[in-house]
Structure formats: C-alpha cells, structure tokens
Amino acid sequence: QVQLVESGGGLVQAGGSLRLSCAASGSIFSIHTMGWYRQAPGKQRELVATCTSGGSTNYADAVKGRFTISRDNAKNTVYLQMNSLKPEDTAVYYCNAEIRRVGGGSRDYWGQGTQVTVSS
C-alpha cells in the first residue's frame, strides 16, 4: 500500500536548477533512510544522495557541492535541490526509502522515476 511519488523533473539548460520532490504515502509507521538514485541511458543505476531520519547526508562525488538533499519528516517528503546542472546529470531520477509499514517490518520502496534532461 506504500507509494513514493516523485515530481519536479523536466528540461533545463546547463547551469540551471531543478528541485525534485518525493512524497511517501500509505500505511507508514516510520521512514528511515531516504535517497535519490539516477539512471542515465546506457548506464547502471547509481546512488546520488541519501539522508537518514536523523539528518545525516551522503552524496556521490559527481554531485557534491551542487546537489542538496533534505527532508520534511512531518510530510514524509524528501527533496533534491539540483544546482549548476550539467548535461551528464541527464537521467531518470528515482526516489528510494526504507520504510516500516504499519504492522510490518522495514523494506525498501521505489518511486516511478522522474526524467531530468539538461541541455547544452
């Protein structure tokens, strides 16, 4: 019953910014680590950034200094602020969350993905 829904993707010029959002809904007891992954055409899916429930963050080297992950725990929402975008950031971005469902244990959930395209 748990769902993650991403939004905020689109087409942007190199050097521009986008903010992605991911809202979790359903029969949720608690959310632990939330994060963003991306998959570019012809490449493997890779971790972009993660954030624990306590606020500890981790970033891929390729996005350090440009992207910022944040959470609003009251809204079960995670954000990814993407600045100074480069064409190599073009990918489908997926939200991931470790969620404990009401009446169950913890497991990973994935969003449907949102396309980010950076033009040169």
Side-chain angles (χ1 to χ4, degrees), residues 11-34:
L11 176 64
V12 66
Q13 191 174 24
S17 298
L18 287 172
R19 190 173 81 146
L20 306 183
S21 299
C22 173
S25 63
S27 186
I28 297 170
F29 180 78
S30 61
I31 302 178
H32 306 288
T33 302
M34 301 186 80

Side-chain angles (χ1 to χ4, degrees), residues 27 29 100-105:
S27 186
F29 180 78
R100 183 180 297 276
R101 187 177 174 181
V102 173

Side-chain angles (χ1 to χ4, degrees), residues 2 4 32-34 37 95-100 105-111:
V2 172
L4 301 178
H32 306 288
T33 302
M34 301 186 80
Y37 293 72
C95 178
N96 173 265
E98 180 189 3
I99 297 174
R100 183 180 297 276
S106 295
R107 67 185 69 180
D108 283 349
Y109 292 86
W110 292 89

Side-chain angles (χ1 to χ4, degrees), residues 42-104:
K43 297 183 179 180
Q44 298 293 315
R45 186 174 298 187
E46 65 179 0
L47 186 147
V48 177
T50 61
C51 185
T52 69
S53 60
S56 297
T57 59
N58 177 257
Y59 297 91
D61 288 342
V63 307
K64 286 181 179 177
R66 299 188 297 120
F67 292 8
T68 302
I69 189 170
S70 61
R71 292 172 63 162
D72 185 338
N73 290 332
K75 296 181 179 180
N76 289 336
T77 299
V78 63
Y79 306 94
L80 186 68
Q81 179 66 47
M82 309 165 67
N83 298 327
S84 301
L85 283 162
K86 305 174 181 179
E88 51 261 46
D89 294 319
T90 295
V92 177
Y93 284 71
Y94 296 91
C95 178
N96 173 265
E98 180 189 3
I99 297 174
R100 183 180 297 276
R101 187 177 174 181
V102 173

